[in-house]
Amino acid sequence: MKEQDKREIRQIFNEGFEQLILSHFDNLYKSIDEIKKNMATKKDIEDVRGDIATLQTDVENIDRKLDTEISWRDGASKRLKKVEVKLGFAK
């Protein structure tokens, strides 16, 4: 095999490698870059955790207020009955 033949074979191989293999690597790198752009960062996750903690605190506060309101309303009928008895509306 002549040196010219070897060069042509290398040239054909290199062109094929570049067109077939390297183009796939380019697509993979582009996909990886796109995935990195769309991934949540550690700061994003910490922000969400903070938001969740705030929401949990808010829900706990609302629950306590509702429990207090329900308790007060449950006792209201007993208090009303006492008032009615004192005023002579009920026995």
Side-chain angles (χ1 to χ4, degrees), residues 11-83:
Q11 176 78 22
I12 292 170
F13 176 81
N14 288 340
E15 287 175 9
F17 185 80
E18 185 177 321
Q19 291 175 2
L20 296 174
I21 305 299
L22 293 182
S23 66
H24 289 291
F25 281 125
D26 286 341
N27 290 337
L28 284 173
Y29 288 131
K30 288 176 186 174
S31 297
I32 289 170
D33 287 341
E34 196 62 33
I35 290 169
K36 284 180 181 178
K37 287 178 190 173
N38 293 325
M39 280 178 41
T41 63
K42 196 171 189 177
K43 183 187 179 314
D44 295 336
I45 294 169
E46 290 300 320
D47 290 346
V48 170
R49 283 184 181 155
D51 292 344
I52 290 171
T54 301
L55 288 173
Q56 285 175 331
T57 303
D58 291 347
V59 168
E60 289 169 0
N61 288 338
I62 290 169
D63 283 343
R64 277 196 306 278
K65 289 176 182 178
L66 284 173
D67 289 343
T68 301
E69 181 68 20
I70 290 169
S71 176
W72 184 86
R73 287 180 186 229
D74 287 346
S77 64
K78 294 175 188 172
R79 291 189 304 273
L80 183 60
K81 181 73 173 177
K82 288 180 184 178
V83 169

